[in-house]
Amino acid sequence: MTPLFSVRDLRKTYGGRIGCTDVSFDLYPGEVMGIVGESGSGKSTLLNCLAGHLAPDAGQVFYDTRHSGMLDTLRMAEPERRMLGRTDWAFVHQNARDGLRMSVSAGGNVGERLMAVGARHYGQIRAAATDWLGRVEIDAGRIDDRPSAFSGGMQQRLQIARNLVTGPRLVFMDEPTGGLDVSVQARLLDLLRGLVRDMGLSAIIVTHDLAVVRLLADRLMVMKGGHVVESGLTDQVLDDPQHGYTQLLVSSVLQA
Amino acid sequence: MTQDTHYNFAYLDEQTKRMIRRALLKAMAIPGYQVPFASREMPMPYGWGTGGVQVSAACLTPSDTLKVIDQGADDTTNAVSIRKFFEKTAQVATTESTRAASLIQTRHRIPEEPLREGQILVYQVPIPEPLRFLEPRETETRKMHALQDYGLMHVKLYEDIARHGNIATSYAYPVKVQGRYVMDPSPIPKFDNPKLRMAAIQLFGAGREQRIYAIPPYTDVVSLDFEDHPFEPSKANHACSLCGADHTYLDEVIVDDRGGRMFVCSDTDYCATRQATGAAPAQTATSQPQEAQP
Amino acid sequence: MYVAVKGGERAIDNAHDWLADERRGPRDIAELSIAQIRHQLALAVNRVMAEGSLYDPDLAALAIKQARGDLIEAIFLIRAYRTTLPRIGHSHPVDTGAMACDRRISATFKDLPGGQVLGPTFDYTHRLLDFKLLAEGPTAEAGNSGATQGMPAPAPMPRVSDFLNRDGLIQDEQPGPQTPPDMTRQPMEYPADRPLRLQALSRGDEGFVLGMAYSTQRGYGRNHPFVGELRIGSVAVEMDIPELGFAVEIGEITLTECETVNQFTGSKTEPAQFTRGYGLVFGQTERKAISMALVDRALRWEELGEDNMGAPAQDAEFVLSHADNIQATGFLEHIKLPHYVDFQSELELVRKLRAEASTPLSEAAE
């Protein structure tokens, strides 16, 4: 099986400071990878480099495109990368406000990606939006409401619907449950797990919350100071951590 | 008059005209693309047609015949003012006849009479950027055009239908030019949009915003819409009270303080020509509640 | 017969005649001369030159007279005239260090080489209406009140930033591109570099730039400015004459220059250093020059590695697109032009939407 996404020797520095370095991994179709570490460990920098939001200093980020097979996304023309970003890829921000248009209705938010790739039938766009609101458990009657009238959990679910409506194959998530109440988090995780399974999504999830990766991720990368210090199957890493830092991470969660 | 001889033909110096012509050529080569140009301060205020005036000044030759309209009429104050400006600074012949004009500068209308090859229609443009009210940043909108990232434009139309049941844009209705650039046709009523595909050259000048763009003859211009909510050019459902035309864009005129009103062609030359050739006013008076006496 | 939109041409002519008559006012009152305006309303003349981007006191005075004292209108006249002038060449950078100062103050040092020179300033006047001016009597000559201390000193006046710079206490200004862009010859493009930003600020509306600067002082993009130095005086303008092969002095202009010393930057690896903001404006226009320096400094956040606080004065595209009062006033006032074609189409639309809303069970949105 060929990987869907393949990263080689990625490095990003800010002046003299390392953002992340020496990152290489493969992600296979349908696989969910978790990236954990404390704040400042470089996991968000890495995610933004992978998703094309930040330009890394060195390395390659290959993606198995539908039309031309494996391509280095860093060397793609900007229009091609943007097209990827609104069709085959999705990005879920920690703060739903960063991923939503707050002054546009829920239906418009979900429909935007469809319209960006050429959907021109209002009724069909609206039907797709209604369908997706249902799948993320938002009442269809709220379709013309603006996200500012939604709760934090609903905003996050709306952001997920907006991202998944084009049937992407790869989803980047940056602390998707951060800032939500514990009970809301549980519901969202449940929903995410269902969607990932049903759609056969590949995903890369950045989080500091080991419970999130335990539930969602097949594999895990542990980052510290911009380096990957340990990686492997999720259960293996969490149940038998090898690196001292991972041991500390795991034990701190157990204590908590 | 003596004072005006201090100025070059059509006011602008030749270097500036050449700079504008280069921008015009580029605009013609990339239909619908907004070409930045170093707009000059003109002796009329920004927002009053400085872009159109600069474009006209760069295109006019001594043998041209100029027509200037505002809201479709030759006799509105700003049209008069601009026509006088060119009479003074370029001494060109002027006309009110659409047919007789070689260059027509317009604000907010396309003449009813179809234009022909060889004519130039110059539009005054207040805000050239069709995405401006969706995204205020120039750096971002330029990128959106470059990448054809126009999803947001349809989001706006989607929101209109969701809220009003209709696309709630009635003028400055956005169009896509030759399948590539989304363009603001300037604040013409959407009734005029179908005429944007024409035999004449159309040039758009935005002075304050320093942009020039163009639609070459016979270029495809499509008004944005949805398949199930197609674009509809609309006008008042009346006929002209002066010439009886039922296919022209109409101005509504309040004729008394009891709610009486009448509808007349906004294109004064077209209306006058029809009247001169014996066209009769609409049979039924059109106003309500009080019947107006044209 | 319907005539509402007819008669535009005659109406315009009549309006112009009336305007000329009003401008002159009652004929038994002496007409203002250009010389009077130039010399007795000199600060108005300065503002018109600065924002009109044309250094010519007589033309500025003429514009003020023609504009009936409306300074933005006068600036507009100057700008429109400026358009028609051929561009012969450009001068060498003026050396403000060699300025013959009428006024030179520093808020950062009590005394300094060359001294503090107050010059003709309103600063310490009490703002009491001087009813003696009503009587139009003679005015005291400068220097007669023993006020020689306020008069220009002949001593050289090195710039404050230069001697701060000697110790590395203030950031060096990085030399820009050899020939700075010219905003009157090229369309404004964003992001704008510093020379372009300074040009736009220098001709920007005094009120707007003042308001932006004031907002930084109130916390919207605060940058802790001190007026390192404010100097007003005349400098020589030199220009290369190709036929001669060397530069000659073509005249003198009065300028106001303000350099602010602002909050320092620095990190573990780089020692702390003050930063600067810069203002340079035609004529004696110190409110504008100080404002310009504050806004310039606020706009430099990115280059100096500061946070974007989302403050208006940090947003170059916002500041530069709205600083020009000729653009602003034109676009603002154009809404009084006829818009009845657009309005008519809105009218039709609203009627249509209302008609649909009143038919029961509208399925239009589905």
Side-chain angles (χ1 to χ4, degrees):
Chain A
M1 187 154 73
T2 53
L4 180 71
F5 193 63
S6 185
V7 178
R8 290 291 172 269
D9 305 319
L10 201 70
R11 187 177 76 232
K12 171 74 185 172
T13 54
Y14 300 100
R17 197 165 57 77
I18 292 174
C20 62
T21 187
D22 295 328
V23 180
S24 300
F25 67 90
D26 291 329
L27 184 76
Y28 288 88
E31 195 179 24
V32 178
M33 158 103 91
I35 303 175
V36 295
E38 58 195 0
S39 56
S41 62
K43 57 188 194 303
S44 289
T45 296
L46 175 60
L47 189 74
N48 281 308
C49 286
L50 297 179
H53 299 168
L54 269 179
D57 302 326
Q60 288 139 351
V61 177
F62 293 99
Y63 177 73
D64 187 10
T65 59
R66 288 179 198 250
H67 302 294
S68 316
M70 276 293 191
L71 289 179
D72 186 351
T73 58
L74 299 179
R75 274 146 201 89
M76 262 181 191
E78 176 85 12
E80 217 180 332
R81 192 163 48 224
R82 277 215 181 187
M83 182 54 90
L84 206 56
R86 60 192 185 220
T87 52
D88 232 13
W89 288 8
F91 195 102
V92 178
H93 295 263
Q94 170 174 3
N95 189 343
R97 291 178 162 266
D98 296 335
L100 292 174
R101 292 193 190 279
M102 298 306 283
S103 58
V104 166
S105 70
N109 264 289
V110 178
E112 179 172 358
R113 274 167 73 110
L114 294 173
M115 292 183 254
V117 296
R120 292 293 178 264
H121 191 284
Y122 175 83
Q124 286 166 11
I125 294 163
R126 201 160 166 88
T130 309
D131 174 45
W132 266 99
L133 290 181
R135 290 167 77 166
V136 298
E137 300 166 15
I138 294 174
D139 180 40
R142 307 292 304 268
I143 190 167
D144 292 330
D145 291 351
R146 292 182 176 187
S148 47
F150 289 3
S151 70
M154 278 171 80
Q155 287 182 2
Q156 198 57 296
R157 280 180 276 135
L158 180 62
Q159 191 195 182
I160 289 165
R162 166 179 163 89
N163 268 283
L164 298 188
V165 66
T166 48
R169 292 193 293 161
L170 176 60
V171 185
F172 301 96
M173 296 189 224
D174 188 5
E175 304 272 12
T177 58
L180 298 176
D181 293 339
V182 177
S183 61
V184 178
Q185 278 189 18
R187 183 176 173 194
L188 186 71
L189 279 174
D190 221 37
L191 179 77
L192 274 175
R193 190 165 59 167
L195 289 170
V196 164
R197 255 191 220 145
D198 296 348
M199 299 177 73
L201 293 174
S202 303
I204 297 176
I205 303 177
V206 157
T207 181
H208 66 281
D209 186 345
L210 296 186
V212 170
V213 288
R214 169 90 72 183
L215 201 65
L216 289 178
D218 304 308
R219 278 198 300 142
L220 213 55
M221 283 195 335
V222 183
M223 292 194 72
K224 181 178 192 307
H227 295 264
V228 178
V229 295
E230 184 164 357
S231 61
L233 296 173
T234 303
D235 292 344
Q236 183 190 324
V237 172
L238 294 184
D239 296 341
D240 183 19
Q242 301 297 306
H243 192 276
Y245 176 71
T246 317
Q247 292 169 355
L248 207 65
L249 264 186
V250 172
S251 64
S252 70
V253 170
L254 292 179
Q255 281 161 15
Chain B
M1 253 346 249
T2 48
Q3 192 196 335
D4 302 319
T5 55
H6 289 282
Y7 296 110
N8 193 28
F9 175 78
Y11 189 75
L12 293 173
D13 61 285
E14 292 304 312
Q15 268 186 318
T16 298
K17 283 193 228 169
R18 277 197 286 272
M19 176 272 292
I20 294 171
R21 285 174 198 143
R22 281 194 294 272
L24 287 170
L25 288 173
K26 183 169 181 182
M28 288 288 282
I30 318 172
Y33 170 73
Q34 299 167 51
V35 183
F37 82 112
S39 173
R40 300 289 194 255
E41 264 104 1
M42 297 302 285
M44 59 277 293
Y46 283 119
W48 299 52
T50 54
V53 167
Q54 287 179 81
V55 169
S56 293
C59 291
L60 279 176
T61 65
S63 60
D64 268 312
T65 303
L66 175 73
K67 170 182 166 80
V68 183
I69 50 173
D70 184 347
Q71 316 292 304
D74 297 88
D75 198 31
T76 36
T77 44
N78 203 44
V80 170
S81 162
I82 290 171
R83 187 165 57 239
K84 275 188 154 179
F85 173 74
F86 282 119
E87 279 170 357
K88 260 191 211 170
T89 59
Q91 294 95 39
V92 289
T94 57
T95 180
E96 295 195 0
S97 158
T98 301
R99 257 176 238 194
S102 57
L103 190 149
I104 302 171
Q105 179 166 332
T106 180
R107 178 169 171 264
H108 295 190
R109 273 312 309 275
I110 298 176
E112 304 289 357
E113 170 90 30
L115 299 187
R116 59 170 192 278
E117 286 179 24
Q119 286 182 307
I120 298 177
L121 183 60
V122 175
Y123 295 77
Q124 302 171 200
V125 181
I127 304 264
E129 180 50 74
L131 305 167
R132 178 61 66 242
F133 299 111
L134 305 169
E135 168 55 62
R137 239 155 249 288
E138 181 69 19
T139 36
E140 190 51 35
T141 53
R142 282 183 77 82
K143 202 180 277 178
M144 289 163 80
H145 283 294
L147 302 174
Q148 273 190 279
D149 198 350
Y150 292 135
L152 196 53
M153 192 83 238
H154 268 88
V155 171
K156 199 255 163 201
L157 303 181
Y158 170 95
E159 292 286 290
D160 275 358
I161 301 174
R163 183 168 313 166
H164 303 292
N166 272 290
I167 294 173
T169 301
S170 58
Y171 62 93
Y173 192 103
V175 294
K176 196 165 206 180
V177 181
Q178 201 69 22
R180 178 59 180 84
Y181 285 97
V182 167
M183 190 195 91
D184 183 332
S186 89
I188 57 172
K190 67 179 179 178
F191 172 82
D192 281 342
N193 271 26
K195 298 184 213 153
L196 286 163
R197 187 183 190 280
M198 64 162 71
I201 291 175
Q202 297 171 83
L203 305 174
F204 298 79
R208 191 179 40 81
E209 299 275 342
Q210 308 189 310
R211 294 292 183 272
I212 280 173
Y213 50 103
I215 304 178
Y218 307 113
T219 302
D220 275 334
V221 181
V222 177
S223 303
L224 301 184
D225 62 1
F226 287 103
E227 291 155 17
D228 48 342
H229 285 266
F231 170 79
E232 279 174 31
S234 62
K235 63 179 273 283
N237 191 18
H238 296 281
C240 174
S241 299
L242 300 180
C243 76
D246 58 1
H247 57 281
T248 58
Y249 194 75
L250 301 173
D251 287 335
E252 181 172 334
V253 184
I254 312 279
V255 292
D256 56 38
D257 57 4
R258 299 181 303 268
R261 53 175 88 95
M262 62 189 267
F263 291 86
V264 296
C265 288
S266 113
D267 185 335
T268 48
D269 170 58
Y270 189 76
C271 193
T273 309
R274 276 177 58 88
Q275 291 175 65
T277 53
Q283 283 298 312
T284 51
T286 52
S287 60
Q288 44 96 17
Q290 181 82 26
E291 302 270 283
Q293 298 302 313
Chain C
M1 191 57 213
Y2 161 62
V3 291
V5 295
K6 293 283 172 190
E9 194 147 354
R10 260 188 48 213
I12 289 176
D13 289 341
N14 290 340
H16 289 175
D17 291 345
W18 194 351
L19 174 68
D21 187 64
E22 285 284 318
R23 185 197 60 68
R24 175 59 184 87
R27 302 300 197 272
D28 55 340
I29 294 173
E31 183 164 359
L32 266 176
S33 74
I34 299 304
Q36 282 172 332
I37 296 169
R38 174 177 174 174
H39 295 288
Q40 295 177 31
L41 297 176
L43 298 187
V45 168
N46 286 340
R47 179 171 173 194
V48 170
M49 291 196 301
E51 293 170 36
S53 289
L54 184 72
Y55 196 96
D56 190 320
D58 285 324
L59 287 183
L62 167 62
I64 291 168
K65 176 173 176 175
Q66 187 179 332
R68 306 177 66 197
D70 178 338
L71 294 191
I72 291 184
E73 183 66 28
I75 292 161
F76 186 8
L77 290 167
I78 291 297
R79 289 271 192 95
Y81 177 74
R82 186 186 189 282
T83 293
T84 65
L85 300 176
R87 175 69 56 100
I88 298 165
H90 54 258
S91 76
H92 282 209
V94 293
D95 181 5
T96 52
M99 180 184 279
C101 295
D102 291 335
R103 171 165 166 78
R104 187 274 195 126
I105 56 167
S106 169
T108 50
F109 296 96
K110 187 173 182 190
D111 200 6
L112 64 167
Q116 306 260 17
V117 180
L118 287 186
T121 175
F122 289 119
D123 283 356
Y124 306 102
T125 61
H126 292 143
R127 268 60 169 205
L128 303 172
L129 280 175
D130 182 356
F131 291 102
K132 287 203 297 288
L133 294 178
L134 266 182
E136 297 172 11
T139 305
E141 296 282 325
N144 278 6
S145 56
T148 43
Q149 299 210 319
M151 299 296 286
M157 293 181 181
R159 280 204 209 84
V160 169
S161 55
D162 286 347
F163 48 81
L164 271 174
N165 205 11
R166 212 164 294 145
D167 304 325
L169 285 175
I170 192 162
Q171 267 193 340
D172 257 332
E173 295 291 24
Q174 296 304 317
Q178 207 59 36
T179 307
D182 179 347
M183 66 172 292
T184 67
R185 297 281 133 171
Q186 291 148 11
M188 186 58 105
E189 293 214 34
Y190 300 106
D193 63 6
R194 194 166 175 223
L196 208 49
R197 298 199 303 252
L198 289 170
Q199 286 169 46
L201 290 174
S202 186
R203 70 190 330 228
D205 181 72
E206 179 173 313
F208 179 85
V209 181
L210 170 66
M212 281 289 129
Y214 178 49
S215 73
T216 68
Q217 291 185 291
R218 290 193 65 259
Y220 292 85
R222 188 145 182 253
N223 55 41
H224 307 275
F226 300 96
V227 171
E229 182 169 6
L230 176 77
R231 53 171 63 200
I232 303 174
S234 54
V235 296
V237 179
E238 289 186 348
M239 196 174 149
D240 276 329
I241 307 295
E243 289 80 357
L244 297 178
F246 52 87
V248 296
E249 187 177 321
I250 55 170
E252 273 193 353
I253 58 174
T254 299
L255 294 176
T256 302
E257 182 187 54
C258 176
E259 277 209 280
T260 55
V261 176
N262 296 71
Q263 68 190 15
F264 46 83
T265 58
S267 62
K268 278 178 199 150
T269 50
E270 287 175 55
Q273 260 188 333
F274 289 109
T275 57
R276 14 180 164 193
Y278 187 72
L280 182 71
V281 189
F282 280 161
Q284 180 177 347
T285 42
E286 67 183 72
R287 180 188 303 123
K288 171 73 175 288
I290 300 169
S291 302
M292 177 176 165
L294 264 60
V295 177
D296 167 51
R297 179 58 186 77
L299 291 174
R300 298 181 68 193
W301 63 272
E302 202 162 8
E303 157 202 356
L304 297 172
E306 294 170 342
D307 289 334
N308 182 355
M309 323 284 286
Q314 287 181 308
D315 185 335
E317 202 176 317
F318 177 82
V319 173
L320 302 189
S321 331
H322 302 115
D324 192 280
N325 51 23
I326 302 309
Q327 290 177 354
T329 200
F331 198 56
L332 181 105
E333 294 189 41
H334 107 281
I335 61 174
K336 67 194 173 190
L337 286 178
H339 280 81
Y340 42 76
V341 165
D342 330 8
F343 184 71
Q344 184 67 39
S345 56
E346 289 281 84
L347 211 54
E348 301 299 338
L349 182 67
V350 170
R351 281 186 184 137
K352 181 178 171 202
L353 295 178
R354 287 175 63 87
E356 279 170 11
S358 62
T359 37
L361 193 67
S362 163
E363 292 291 318
E366 293 304 320

